[in-house]
Amino acid sequence: MDFTDWLRACNVMAETIGFVGLGIMGLPMSKNLVDAGYDVVGHNRSQEPVDELVDYGGEGADSPQAVAEQVDVVITCLPDSPVVESIVRDDDGILAGLSEGMTVIDMSTISPTVIEELAAEIEDAGAEMLDAPISGGEEGAIDGTLSIMVGGNEDVFDANEELLAAMGETVTHCGPSGAGQTTKACNQIVVAAQMVGVSEALVFAQKAGADLDAVVEAISGGAAGCWTLDNRAPSMIQGDFDPGFFASYQYKDLRIATDAGEAFGAPMPQTGIAHELYKSMETTGRGDDDNSGVMQIIEDLAGEEARVD
């Protein structure tokens, strides 16, 4: 280890990280930080994941304020804009515990305009904020291979890039505050298109009498090859929709994308259709399924399930 590596290691060990939101993504991400040598203080609305983090080597805190009071950087990974706003602004929220020079990194997927408002409030408190939404699902959170899209001051990004790299394989600075959320909206537009397209193809193959395993294998190696075919199609044709990323979250993300498209005058015909299909998942009680479960809505329309024996 040369002097630069040694100094970097010392800096990592000296930094204490708060993590608010220990859900399906946040808990494994916080564990990866522990593995990377950070001291981690966690908080969650339910206690069980906090206990699991403590058992793993982290510490627990009773409120977001208590987290912020003990750490150098606070990370949030939460379901939606209202929850993030509450966690930051409540009487026992992050703002109440911030001190000058700290950094807040929100890794949720929320509205770019909400991020800009929160960033201004955090800056008024003498701290900095990055928006750093993630992609890669539960597997990526566990394996530390997430794609992380970051908006905010570039110097603040540079100072926290190694921290983010402990949770993600691809860490990209996308521009000023809100740019990370804009990039995540682009990501979700493409993810939804893949999920719906693969679903349509598999249901069509079923209706036409094709071998579903053979179809998946054949088209995965050609121009249609994509993440969904590689990582979800084998489970989809088994009827396995255990969540790696909830369909209700995909629906929420598509609402963010379509609202932003309306605000910026960007046409989104395909995304609009995907939005309605995921809305149907929510209204038919399947929001807790994986986002690949949108195939079930196509199956409903077809009157037949696409399954292997």
Side-chain angles (χ1 to χ4, degrees):
M1 177 184 292
D2 63 22
F3 177 75
T4 301
D5 290 335
W6 175 84
L7 183 60
R8 182 180 296 120
C10 290
N11 286 339
V12 167
M13 293 301 291
E15 202 166 28
T16 302
I17 310 301
F19 210 111
V20 179
L22 302 173
I24 194 170
M25 303 288 283
L27 181 58
M29 291 162 67
S30 67
K31 289 180 176 180
N32 285 335
L33 293 178
V34 173
D35 289 341
Y38 294 95
D39 293 327
V40 179
V41 180
H43 172 76
N44 196 67
R45 286 178 294 183
S46 57
Q47 185 62 31
E48 185 177 349
V50 178
D51 294 339
E52 187 171 342
L53 175 62
V54 170
D55 289 342
Y56 200 77
E59 298 180 36
D62 293 334
S63 69
Q65 178 181 354
V67 171
E69 289 172 344
Q70 300 178 60
V71 303
D72 305 297
V73 177
V74 182
I75 295 172
T76 55
C77 189
L78 299 161
D80 55 33
S81 296
V83 174
V84 175
E85 290 178 291
S86 174
I87 290 295
V88 173
R89 292 170 171 157
D90 281 356
D91 290 343
D92 62 350
I94 290 170
L95 270 172
L98 282 183
S99 55
E100 191 168 350
M102 290 178 60
T103 301
V104 178
I105 304 176
D106 179 51
M107 303 188 78
S108 319
T109 298
I110 66 172
S111 165
T113 57
V114 170
I115 277 290
E116 290 172 3
E117 292 169 3
L118 292 175
E121 294 174 37
I122 287 168
E123 185 175 341
D124 287 344
E128 299 282 355
M129 186 175 194
L130 297 174
D131 54 294
I134 52 181
S135 179
E138 184 181 11
E139 299 98 325
I142 293 169
D143 296 338
T145 57
L146 294 167
S147 176
I148 305 176
M149 299 147 265
V150 189
N153 182 282
E154 190 166 6
D155 290 338
V156 179
F157 167 77
D158 289 342
N160 289 279
E161 187 173 5
E162 284 190 43
L163 168 63
L164 295 169
M167 297 175 284
E169 192 170 59
T170 304
V171 181
T172 308
H173 184 247
C174 301
S177 184
Q181 295 297 346
T182 297
T183 306
K184 178 61 186 290
C186 294
N187 182 85
Q188 295 305 83
I189 288 168
V190 175
V191 168
Q194 284 187 15
M195 294 293 181
V196 173
V198 169
S199 296
E200 288 188 8
L202 293 175
V203 173
F204 163 67
Q206 175 72 26
K207 297 287 283 187
D211 182 314
L212 294 180
D213 282 320
V215 168
V216 171
E217 181 180 356
I219 67 175
S220 294
C226 62
W227 187 92
T228 299
L229 277 172
D230 292 339
N231 294 278
R232 288 291 180 266
S235 300
M236 292 163 73
I237 59 178
Q238 295 285 345
D240 178 4
F241 302 111
D242 287 343
F245 183 74
F246 291 119
S248 60
Y249 290 177
Q250 181 73 66
Y251 172 44
K252 179 264 296 184
D253 292 352
L254 289 173
R255 289 204 310 275
I256 291 171
T258 53
D259 287 349
E262 184 71 21
F264 291 109
M268 293 185 177
Q270 180 172 258
T271 305
I273 293 171
H275 173 271
E276 294 305 307
L277 292 171
Y278 279 99
K279 181 195 293 182
S280 296
M281 288 200 72
E282 189 82 355
T283 58
T284 56
R286 291 178 274 202
D288 287 342
D289 286 352
D290 188 73
N291 60 341
S292 62
V294 72
M295 184 168 80
Q296 297 167 99
I297 304 301
I298 307 299
E299 290 171 337
D300 290 349
L301 295 170
E304 185 173 351
E305 292 184 339
R307 300 286 186 274
V308 295
D309 294 330

